[in-house]
């Protein structure tokens, strides 16, 4: 039996990417929701699930007055919970809107990568001016996808048909 200490190698989970946000921007975003910060909530953000009627017993009241006061406290508690739920729903909408905005910005900032097969297809059609469908070894559906992607990039490509089948694609104009 060995009494050696176990050794655990350090794990570095930090990745240096450019997708982070500056701390000031994060704080500005969080300042839009002051009610969500625990330090701004009464009792540190701990919310009781029932109306607090414990203090009612300390005052001298008749049973009828106590019943009215307890009902009032419960009503106020229900109203406060409704307001909290309403505020949470509004905050969730704002957060979802901001997340979609950030995702769109992220997608727009990323350069579009061109696949090798699309690059090959564009080189072939630019060199010859036409592309024979019979020269393509992969599926015709994949070729159609490449043509669509080339059109999205600004290439004007028209199909040349024989009967109803496309036999070649002709390059009309580049960008």
């Amino acid at each position: 039996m060995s009494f050696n200490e176990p050794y655990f190698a350090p794990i570095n989970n930090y990745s240096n990417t450019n997708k982070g946000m500056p701390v000031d921007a994060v704080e500005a975003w969080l300042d839009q929701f002051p009610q969500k910060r625990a330090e701004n909530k009464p009792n540190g953000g701990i919310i009781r699930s029932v109306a607090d009627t414990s203090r009612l017993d300390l005052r001298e009241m008749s049973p009828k007055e106590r019943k009215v006061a307890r009902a009032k406290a419960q009503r106020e508690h229900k109203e406060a919970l409704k307001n909290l739920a309403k505020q949470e729903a509004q905050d969730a909408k704002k957060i979802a809107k901001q997340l979609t905005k950030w995702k769109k910005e992220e997608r727009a900032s990323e350069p579009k990568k061109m696949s090798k097969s699309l690059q090959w297809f564009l080189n072939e059609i630019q060199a010859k001016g036409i592309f024979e469908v019979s020269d393509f070894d992969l599926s015709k559906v994949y070729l159609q996808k490449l043509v669509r992607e080339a059109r999205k990039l600004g290439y004007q490509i028209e199909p040349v048909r024989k009967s109803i089948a496309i036999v070649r694609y002709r390059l009309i104009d580049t960008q």
Side-chain angles (χ1 to χ4, degrees):
M1 178 176 237
S2 174
F3 290 105
N4 291 338
E5 279 188 43
Y7 173 74
F8 299 102
I11 299 174
N12 186 0
N13 291 331
Y14 175 76
S15 74
N16 188 8
T17 63
N18 59 353
K19 293 186 179 185
M21 288 179 67
V23 175
D24 297 337
V26 172
E27 287 296 322
W29 167 246
L30 291 175
D31 286 341
Q32 293 182 15
F33 306 99
Q35 68 278 6
K36 285 198 168 290
R37 291 184 178 241
E39 65 266 14
N40 294 339
K41 292 181 180 180
N43 201 12
I46 299 170
I47 300 172
R48 295 191 178 121
S49 61
V50 293
D52 184 14
T53 59
S54 61
R55 303 262 187 231
L56 293 178
D57 294 334
L58 299 177
R59 288 185 255 148
E60 232 175 273
M61 297 180 173
S62 67
K64 188 175 182 183
E65 289 173 332
R66 188 170 287 119
K67 189 176 181 181
V68 168
R70 185 170 283 131
K72 180 183 175 193
Q74 288 174 345
R75 250 191 332 272
E76 289 172 352
H77 179 71
K78 262 188 189 175
E79 188 176 329
L81 288 178
K82 279 183 190 175
N83 290 340
L84 271 175
K86 195 182 296 182
Q87 184 66 46
E88 286 290 322
Q90 290 173 351
D91 293 347
K93 283 181 185 177
K94 284 183 184 177
I95 290 170
K97 186 184 279 187
Q98 185 65 35
L99 284 174
T100 56
K101 181 180 172 187
W102 283 338
K103 285 179 184 175
K104 283 180 184 176
E105 288 173 0
E106 186 176 317
R107 275 190 243 124
S109 66
E110 289 178 359
K112 301 220 179 203
K113 295 180 182 175
M114 192 179 299
S115 67
K116 289 181 181 178
S117 54
L118 177 61
Q119 186 65 46
W120 173 81
F121 172 73
L122 290 175
N123 289 342
E124 288 289 316
I125 201 164
Q126 284 177 337
K128 299 176 185 172
I130 61 168
F131 183 82
E132 295 289 335
V133 175
S134 59
D135 293 344
F136 195 68
D137 295 335
L138 301 175
S139 74
K140 307 304 178 221
V141 175
Y142 187 63
L143 179 60
Q144 291 171 351
K145 180 183 174 195
L146 292 176
V147 170
R148 275 194 302 272
E149 288 180 20
R151 287 177 179 154
K152 283 181 188 175
L153 292 174
Y155 292 89
Q156 292 182 357
I157 299 171
E158 94 175 353
V160 177
R161 298 177 186 272
K162 185 171 192 177
S163 183
I164 57 171
I166 298 173
V167 290
R168 68 182 59 94
Y169 288 99
R170 187 173 64 214
L171 181 65
I172 298 171
D173 190 18
T174 57
Q175 299 164 333

